[in-house]
Amino acid sequence: MLRSLLIIAAFYSALASSSQEGVLPAGSFTYSSPGAGKSGPVEVIGEAGANGRISRLKVKAFGKEYGLGEGVLEQIPPNTNGVLFSHEAGYPGLGGHTVYITFVFGFAPEIINYATLACSTENDTCALVK
């Protein structure tokens, strides 16, 4: 019985002292995609400050360049360490062709926080949708 308790205690002790995954936040970054359909190539160029927040961000899509203001940048999670691209063909009157760029903060098993920009042909703008 005592031996079983010692084995269990050693197991939990090893768990308590195991290493933990840490974040590697973005510094300056460029993400690109060849695009799909009318989106043309999509490129995201940015830079994060020492505080982990994105301080400069430029999006290229639909043959145009979109700059994003400080108000939008403040809503992107700090220490972003990943970017996802997606798109939809859309319908006239409902946004048209839209490219979604999702900035994520997370670790291997899960995404903890995210913010998504939607850049559309119909609105001719990039806006935060979450």
Side-chain angles (χ1 to χ4, degrees):
M1 175 72 172
L2 180 59
R3 184 173 180 204
S4 297
L5 288 174
L6 287 174
I7 291 172
I8 292 171
F11 174 75
Y12 283 109
S13 173
L15 285 179
S17 64
S18 64
S19 68
Q20 292 185 347
E21 186 176 2
V23 68
L24 290 172
S28 59
F29 54 88
T30 300
Y31 294 100
S32 63
S33 167
K38 295 178 183 177
S39 75
V42 177
E43 189 172 48
V44 177
I45 304 163
E47 188 173 314
N51 63 358
R53 291 215 167 265
I54 294 177
S55 56
R56 182 181 60 84
L57 186 65
K58 182 173 29 175
V59 175
K60 295 179 182 179
F62 308 113
K64 298 178 181 176
E65 189 173 296
Y66 305 90
L68 292 134
E70 192 174 314
V72 172
L73 299 180
E74 288 174 352
Q75 296 179 60
I76 297 174
N79 300 315
T80 293
N81 58 353
V83 173
L84 307 170
F85 289 113
S86 59
H87 81 103
E88 65 177 326
Y91 296 99
L94 297 175
H97 194 159
T98 303
V99 170
Y100 298 99
I101 303 158
T102 302
F103 296 88
V104 299
F105 166 70
F107 300 98
E110 70 178 311
I111 291 174
I112 296 170
N113 201 353
Y114 69 94
T116 301
L117 288 172
C119 302
S120 76
T121 55
E122 197 163 277
N123 299 330
D124 200 25
T125 187
C126 285
L128 204 59
V129 294
K130 175 343 190 166

